[in-house]
Amino acid sequence: METPMGPQSVVWRENRHRGIVCAVGWTSGDETVSVGDDQAMLRWSLGSSECSAVAQMRPGVFPTAMHWFPRVAQRQTPVNDVFLLSCTDGKILLVTATGKVEKTIEAHKGAVLRAQWSYDGTGFVSCGEDGNVKMWSRNGMLRSVLASTGRPVYGIEWSGDGSKVLYCSGEHCFIKVLKTQMSAIKWKAHEGVVLCVSWSSQSGLVVSGGEDCRYKVWDSLGRPLFTSGPHEYSITALSWNPDGDLFAVGSFNLIRLCDQHGWSHSLEKLQTGSLTNIAWSADGTQLVASCANGHLLHSHLVDRHVWWSNLEAIQTKRRTITVKDVKSEVARETVELRDRITKMALGFEHLVVTTIRQCYIYSSKNWNTPSIFDLKEGAAILLLLCEKFILLVDGSSMFVVTFEGRVQAQIKLPGTVVSGEAITTRTTGISNDTVVVRDRADPKTVHLFEALTGKPVGSGKIVHQCDVVEVRIDQCGPAMGRKIALVDANADLFVGIVNTFGESQRLLKIGAPIHNIHFNSTNNMLAGLQDTSVLVWTFPSVVFADKQLLQRTTITVDGGGNVSKSPQITNFHGNHVLVRRADGALVDLLVAPFFGGLVEFVAESKWDKAIKLCRLAKDDALWALLAGCAAAEKNFYAAEIAYAAISEAEKVVFLNELRRETNPQMKSAQMVAFSGKVLDFEGALTRSGDIFRAVMTAVAMFQWDRALDLALRERAFLDIVIGYRQRYLKEMGLCETDKRFIAHLSDVEIDWNHIHEKIAEENAKTRH
Ligand SMILES: *[C@@H]1O[C@H](CO)[C@@H](O)[C@H](O)[C@H]1NC(C)=O
Ligand SMILES: *[C@@H]1O[C@H](CO)[C@@H](O)[C@H](O)[C@H]1NC(C)=O
Ligand SMILES: *[C@@H]1O[C@H](CO)[C@@H](O)[C@H](O)[C@H]1NC(C)=O
């Protein structure tokens, strides 16, 4: 788990511009470039705190904003180390990294206020004082005028997939869907002119700031999620970090860091005048801001915490991490690295840290001699751990690495075309055997790779019917049963089996509307948020063994009014689900400890203990969990007891049969039937003349039509079929509407004593 805290800021005082710094942007790694009203273009090396002049722009160039050609797109066409410079005289300049003006574009009347490359670098959009919003080709040919608002447009941003453009004008924000004739979505955002907007390509959230001295968070349809209190001065700059979970807010002499719920993590008072622009580094660990008084503000995130079990690691300085054992406050270790830290992860007795050059792997048993290896690109953007491996994304490459620092596999990511979203912890997962990654360009597709070899698993992918927003993979149990869980854009939660050996049906829906899912790493329980409650699927795979048990094994942990709107699960540790509320407070919700205990017993095949625990707890959901586990593990003895306890008599009968079956062929057929493939099995039974069991199988599987057919054809067990049917309808709160059943209702008298006797009789008959 990671909590970002306050940014530590360093403000340069030397070599500063004479006059306002108008724009700033990142070249690569540790370097930024700024341009000011003094026409100087300066290069700042942040590692060594050096600043040098690159070029002097021609007199009369007064910039308003800068945007560098996107880094991902640069890999395809490496010549594009250029940026767009918007100027007050209505021109947009295409400038190289050495300060050469490649192209001058007459773009707007009055000042150009902003120009933004699309994420794939195929074009850009611009806006200006003239109220126009324009779209341009890569080389600066006008493609279209998207809007003419009549009032200055201060901010413009692309959506992550490049299909929409957000802009603001007056008190309103607009979202224009490209390639349609539809007019833009429009909403009133502020009580005053909107001065800045930022749109996260990751979370899809919008943040806006204005002359009313507030900033607000919106969803991608413009629905309000958060409104800040009023500040003393206008909000002049806003920027989402690359992960889309934090944004920076700039105002006069002030910078703030907020999470996606708007909650402010830190506030820093400055002596800089207004912040004119804010830009994050690609790895999200630093930001720079241009300041009206000629300074360049440079902040890096420190006080980042990660914790695992009783270990906690805190990044205290740019190159320093302190690790402590929470249980014994005494045991403290400090690790110093040679270069600036970019990512860190803690888990499974290891601390893994990446810097701008290397990756360090520390064992918690030995903090002195880490395994170290060099990073190819030095641009770690993701670090995930499972018990066996580290998953590292370095720039454009993905690696599976052992804790000894050996590269086990390199994964070739399909669909990593230039556009597309960054890879994040929400859309990537690793377990001992499998790596799962959502496609960057096509969010409907999820890729599966073998962790050992980096090769695709089976067909290598699952294509869902709509966009996937979250993916998780479970951690324990054999690789054969490995599951993924995913949440799609409709907030539907699905689970799927990784290894299906060629079968196509992979995903089954288990809940809605759900977001923010987490697997527990030691018992495969899955937690997710539904509105303000936490739901725990104590045994998600039960959906593959006995679908009817899914609801019964799902428990709801009510926030009891303590969890308010838009919370987030931050951790599922032991029996505690830690939820961060929208206001930032942490709420600890307790899952009854029996569930974890039961899963442990089952994992160790201690069925008697599991049954005892259920008897002790007397909880229906616990019995249902046992029934599901037992069915999945094919322990029919425990399943029979558990199903009896939750009054699923027809299943008990069926299981009873199963347990006593001596014919191995029949037994395996029954197992198949129990996992839902009932037709083959019934056929086998009727052929062998065992009508009772065929009827009971149909009943157990709720195949009412077949059960009735059999009973009518054989003129037997009609009361059993109709009795169970009625009970089933009653439980479901339904009335009989099936004409065939209504027609036969008067043929029988439902006497449960008689039915039970008959069942016992039949059981006795087949016992020998
Ligand atoms: C995962 O790998 C670790 C280390 O090799 C091993 O101890 C653990 O049992 C594995 N877990 C599973 C579920 O295979
Ligand atoms: C709500 O929070 C308060 C204070 O933390 C706690 O005393 C109370 O038990 C909580 N209520 C529920 C239902 O969790
Ligand atoms: C899962 O639960 C176990 C015990 O129930 C706990 O020790 C472990 O930390 C949990 N894992 C996660 C990732 O929360």
Side-chain angles (χ1 to χ4, degrees), residues 319 321 335-346 350-363 366-375 380 383 385 390 392 401-405:
R319 296 180 311 187
I321 291 174
V335 297
E336 285 271 354
L337 297 115
R338 284 217 336 254
D339 303 295
R340 185 170 60 75
I341 294 162
T342 52
K343 294 275 165 193
M344 62 175 178
L346 188 64
H350 287 88
L351 171 69
V352 184
V353 185
T354 54
T355 68
I356 52 169
R357 275 179 246 284
Q358 285 159 320
C359 178
Y360 295 74
I361 304 163
Y362 295 89
S363 158
N366 177 358
W367 296 102
N368 298 320
T369 47
S371 310
I372 305 173
F373 65 94
D374 290 343
L375 296 179
L383 206 51
L385 309 183
I390 300 160
L392 168 71
V401 184
T402 66
F403 284 103
E404 290 76 46

Side-chain angles (χ1 to χ4, degrees), residues 553-697:
T553 55
T554 305
I555 49 182
T556 305
V557 189
D558 192 357
N562 275 357
V563 179
S564 50
K565 234 177 74 185
S566 52
Q568 283 240 311
I569 293 184
T570 65
N571 196 11
F572 182 6
H573 192 82
N575 304 310
H576 299 262
V577 180
L578 209 55
V579 177
R580 184 184 288 281
R581 295 196 312 212
D583 64 2
L586 285 174
V587 182
D588 189 2
L589 301 175
L590 194 68
V591 180
F594 296 126
F595 293 93
L598 185 70
V599 173
E600 255 169 60
F601 285 144
V602 169
E604 294 163 9
S605 295
K606 293 183 177 155
W607 294 100
D608 284 329
K609 285 201 170 156
I611 293 165
K612 244 182 231 159
L613 181 63
C614 290
R615 291 206 166 117
L616 193 74
K618 296 193 182 69
D619 181 309
D620 250 18
L622 199 66
W623 278 116
L625 174 59
L626 178 61
C629 291
E633 295 293 326
K634 308 218 189 308
N635 185 308
F636 299 107
Y637 165 69
E640 199 181 316
I641 293 174
Y643 276 112
I646 52 173
S647 325
E648 297 222 4
E650 65 281 10
K651 286 209 172 101
V652 177
V653 172
F654 183 69
L655 285 161
N656 202 329
E657 289 310 303
L658 215 50
R659 200 149 62 84
R660 289 171 207 287
E661 184 58 63
T662 46
N663 177 345
Q665 272 153 354
M666 191 55 87
K667 192 157 188 158
S668 70
Q670 283 176 321
M671 284 180 187
V672 173
F674 199 75
S675 56
K677 288 171 195 153
V678 78
L679 283 182
D680 308 348
F681 176 57
E682 248 181 55
L685 281 175
T686 24
R687 274 194 300 279
S688 69
D690 198 341
I691 305 308
F692 172 69
R693 285 198 293 172
V695 166
M696 289 315 284
T697 307

